[in-house]
Amino acid sequence: MEYSYPKLFIGGRWQEPSTTDVLAVHSAATEEQIGQVPASAPADVDNAVAAAGAALVDPAWAGISQAARADLIERFADAVDKRADERATIVSRQNGMPIAIAGMAEGPMPALLLRYFAGLIRDASLEERRVAFPGPGTTVVRKEPVGVVAAIAPWNFPSVLAAFKIAPALAAGCSVVLKPSPETVLDSFLLADAAIEAGLPAGVLNVVTGGPDIGKYLVAHEGVQKVAFTGSTAAGRQIGEVCGRLLRPVTLELGGKSAALILDDADITSTVTGLATASLLNSGQTCYMSTRILAPKGRYQDFVDAITAMVGSLPVGDPLDPSTFIGPLVSEKQRDRVLSYVDAGRNEGATLTTGGGRPSGLDRGWFVEPTVFANTDNTTTIAREEIFGPVLTVMPYDGEAEAISMANDSEFGLGGTVWTADPSRGLDVARQIQTGSFGVNSYALDFGSPFGGVKSSGLGRELGPEGLAAYYSLKSIFLAE
Ligand code: NAD
């Protein structure tokens, strides 16, 4: 076994798991088992939550200055960075992410996120004195860590999305119990190695393993004070219900079905080139992808032809080959789910213009051909449901108002893009879209700005100062004159 971990990272060290059960990890490209880790039982979650609770009152973590905390997080970032190439490769092997993308995202971004949030707290004050209104008196408004954070991550960008939670949580002085997805659990063991090397105080970061059952147990655990979740809308709703009952703060980053609005003045070549990344990054397994492409009626066929040619030419293959743009999907289940949507598209009468099956010559691995459907409308299953694979739907619209109304006619609101020769027109369209994030002639994540969804795409925001604020609890201390 290439990657075999016999113990769990709890309380700052590798600990014997409470059972002998294991989780197997497979290569998305070869289907072979490449690793194994212990499967956590509820008793292991209890230990991890207790260790995280103890860290909150440990002077080595709770009693240090903001600058000392920032230093520790930066030391952690250095150790995380040392493992960037190894982590990118492991992620690529686990979930099929093309190495060119893993090398830009899963490798370097976790450390960048840690450094960004360390920078936000280094010189920031945790207390602010306000003149009481209507007075007299003064109030000290104090930020305190919200407590033990249950961080639950999906498999599509496992290390980056774990860092979306770990970095602000640590910056706020919280402690974390991370539960990665079972498909992509190995990279979190590299984060644990880095935590040990950096000397993070015991219990500040803990990793438990398992699927939805262990996730549910962690979310409802009485020792947890906040839940940060990225994953499907269905699981997010369940978690939201539990947290509602417990009155436990929760951040939910969920699914999407974002629109690309191609305006009538858009340049065809640059638009279609940009759509490759805006619609199909990580083989379409990215939550904010613009997978509903809206093209102006008068130029519809030209755009369908150009998008079909672009998608049909994308290199499909071994995710470890730097020239690959479309790798395999994460699992057999996910491949079959995506292929069932392709069947739905055919059955609903949409025109398949490229792809539509498993690529020839790639019998091993969970590959799906990059696929385009045209001549359909916004009422079909392929236009409404999140597919989470390399499948695009191109639909015609008549006039900008109709394009905006079609973009907004969705259960989701996470990302989206507009493509135009006139950026100010693009910004005007962006203002009218019901979404948490949007791009004009491109889409990029900005760590310094809030990221999240509206409608069924989620609750709350990660990233930026707003993302840090979600890990504080506010206390107002009134001082009599
Ligand atoms: P998933 O919801 O099946 O699982 C996500 C994680 O939650 C896993 O670790 C899983 O074990 C755990 N889990 C599942 N059900 C749970 C429950 N009831 N209680 C506690 N934990 C539970 O999602 P997935 O298939 O791993 O990921 C794909 C989904 O994630 C897509 O819908 C995608 O859009 C979404 N996603 C959203 C964002 C975002 O930022 N909005 C980013 C990436 C992925």
Side-chain angles (χ1 to χ4, degrees):
M1 195 76 54
E2 284 176 78
Y3 308 101
S4 181
Y5 290 91
K7 295 186 180 179
L8 292 168
F9 179 62
I10 293 175
R13 60 194 174 86
W14 295 108
Q15 293 203 23
E16 225 36 85
S18 65
T19 73
T20 53
D21 295 347
V22 293
L23 286 177
V25 182
H26 294 89
S27 153
T30 68
E31 306 180 18
E32 283 161 0
Q33 186 175 345
I34 54 170
Q36 103 177 10
V37 301
S40 301
D44 300 307
V45 178
D46 293 344
N47 284 343
V49 172
L56 288 179
V57 290
D58 178 356
W61 184 241
I64 61 177
S65 67
Q66 294 276 85
R69 192 182 311 291
D71 286 344
L72 254 179
I73 294 172
E74 282 178 3
R75 274 219 307 274
F76 183 34
D78 291 342
V80 165
D81 233 0
K82 265 197 192 166
R83 294 157 176 81
D85 291 345
E86 189 182 0
R87 194 173 42 252
T89 304
I90 285 184
V91 169
S92 177
R93 295 188 65 189
Q94 293 174 115
N95 71 2
M97 180 183 294
I99 193 70
I101 297 162
M104 285 186 307
E106 291 291 300
M109 283 188 183
L112 287 174
L113 283 156
L114 288 164
R115 293 201 178 96
Y116 169 75
F117 282 102
L120 281 190
I121 61 157
R122 180 172 290 283
D123 300 316
S125 170
L126 291 172
E127 294 190 353
E128 179 197 334
R129 293 174 87 88
R130 296 188 191 169
V131 176
F133 179 85
T138 302
T139 297
V140 174
V141 179
R142 185 177 150 72
K143 289 178 188 163
E144 297 181 349
V146 69
V148 172
V149 175
I152 300 184
W155 43 259
N156 64 332
F157 282 86
S159 294
V160 170
L161 292 171
F164 269 37
K165 296 153 187 54
I166 295 169
L170 299 195
C174 296
S175 56
V176 175
V177 178
L178 170 68
K179 193 207 80 64
S181 274
E183 295 86 349
T184 51
V185 67
L186 296 172
D187 48 288
S188 62
F189 281 65
L190 292 184
L191 292 180
D193 272 338
I196 293 172
E197 182 182 311
L200 273 192
V204 166
L205 177 65
N206 310 271
V207 181
V208 297
T209 57
D213 286 346
I214 281 297
K216 285 179 193 164
Y217 185 75
L218 175 62
V219 163
H221 202 287
E222 63 177 6
V224 165
Q225 280 87 40
K226 168 166 172 93
V227 176
F229 172 78
T230 300
S232 61
T233 295
R237 275 190 215 288
Q238 289 178 10
I239 291 170
E241 281 175 20
V242 172
C243 290
R245 179 166 51 78
L246 297 170
L247 300 179
R248 183 164 292 173
V250 61
T251 308
L252 301 171
E253 300 284 4
L254 310 178
K257 186 77 184 178
S258 303
L261 295 87
I262 303 176
L263 301 191
D264 52 13
D265 63 355
D267 171 65
I268 199 157
T269 308
S270 58
T271 298
V272 171
T273 306
L275 283 174
T277 315
S279 303
L280 288 168
L281 184 75
N282 193 21
S283 315
Q285 300 179 116
T286 310
C287 52
Y288 55 77
M289 291 290 91
S290 293
T291 51
R292 284 188 297 145
I293 301 178
L294 311 178
K297 210 169 152 190
R299 301 176 67 196
Y300 181 66
Q301 197 53 48
D302 290 347
F303 273 105
V304 169
D305 292 345
I307 292 166
T308 300
M310 176 276 284
V311 171
S313 71
L314 294 173
V316 182
D318 178 0
L320 292 176
D321 178 340
S323 67
T324 292
F325 193 84
I326 301 284
L329 303 186
V330 66
S331 62
E332 184 175 7
K333 182 172 147 218
Q334 190 65 12
R335 181 197 61 198
D336 292 348
R337 188 171 165 271
V338 171
L339 289 175
S340 78
Y341 278 110
V342 174
D343 287 344
R346 282 198 180 96
N347 294 337
E348 287 175 317
T351 309
L352 180 71
T353 66
T354 186
R358 295 171 62 177
S360 60
L362 288 170
D363 302 330
R364 266 184 353 153
W366 298 303
F367 290 92
V368 172
E369 284 178 307
T371 298
V372 177
F373 281 106
N375 303 322
T376 187
D377 64 35
N378 212 24
T379 64
T380 53
T381 309
I382 53 168
R384 302 204 76 78
E385 295 187 13
E386 182 183 53
I387 299 176
F388 224 57
V391 181
L392 304 181
T393 305
V394 190
M395 295 174 282
Y397 71 82
D398 193 2
E400 197 173 293
E402 186 177 63
I404 291 167
S405 132
M406 284 171 76
N408 288 336
D409 178 15
S410 171
E411 180 198 346
F412 299 105
L414 186 60
T417 46
V418 61
W419 305 85
T420 171
D422 178 356
S424 67
R425 193 176 161 203
L427 183 57
D428 189 49
V429 167
R431 291 189 177 108
Q432 299 174 69
I433 305 299
Q434 296 159 2
T435 187
S437 67
F438 203 76
V440 179
N441 290 329
S442 178
Y443 183 104
L445 270 187
D446 168 6
F447 292 166
S449 301
F451 174 75
V454 299
K455 300 195 270 188
S456 296
S457 290
L459 207 60
R461 294 291 179 267
E462 293 189 303
L463 303 181
E466 295 82 0
L468 176 62
Y471 292 90
Y472 286 120
S473 171
L474 297 177
K475 181 188 283 175
S476 295
I477 306 168
F478 177 73
L479 307 174
E481 285 291 88

